Amino acid sequence: MLIPVNNKNISFIQQKISTIRSALLFNAHPNEAFSATSIISALKMDEHGGIWFFLNNDSNLRLGDEAFPARLSFYRKGIPYSLNIYGKATIVKDLHHVSEMSGINLMDCPEIQQKVVLIKVKAHSAEYREWQTERRKVPSRRLMRFFDKLLQPFQHPYEHTTEQYIFN
């Protein structure tokens, strides 16, 4: 279910993004600025719904395309939920913002400036999904244990085989 990103739910979304941190970036427009799916690590989500991250400049990104529709898919194994963010991605060319996010003065490092691009995705809507917990898996485990016991060869309860390993 898609929900709009607004002041009421932005702190909830910020908390979920800060827990997962990494996402897949998809271009949501057929006239694509770049065609490859990229793995990103969210730096922060501001109070206006902007998600900031760096993207390698070698990811087939054409710098002439300054804005494009995007989808960020946040998921991490072991965390019982996922989050899809839909919005408009813009390339931030202001060196002050880039230096602030990276902590590096880019005036001194022009080679980094050419390899990394700062992207801001203004979130318009979000899709939050929770996964089933372990309760759902328990009946299937019981069933598997039942079949394992049925398929094991009959063993006399007093027959035990032991192996001893002697290390000198």
Side-chain angles (χ1 to χ4, degrees), residues 25-77:
L25 170 68
F26 298 97
N27 185 1
H29 195 276
N31 295 336
E32 53 210 44
F34 65 97
S35 59
T37 302
S38 300
I39 299 173
I40 61 105
S41 180
L43 298 172
K44 75 172 189 172
M45 181 176 186
D46 59 25
E47 61 277 355
H48 305 292
I51 302 167
W52 298 77
F53 56 91
F54 285 108
L55 188 64
N56 288 336
N57 201 7
D58 61 350
S59 63
N60 302 324
L61 182 68
R62 294 191 308 260
L63 292 176
D65 301 326
E66 301 211 5
F68 54 92
R71 176 174 62 114
L72 293 171
S73 183
F74 288 91
Y75 169 78
R76 178 176 287 168
K77 184 177 177 180

Side-chain angles (χ1 to χ4, degrees), residues 116-128:
V116 180
V117 177
L118 181 64
I119 306 284
K120 176 185 173 187
V121 174
K122 172 68 172 129
H124 296 297
S125 60
E127 181 180 18
Y128 176 75

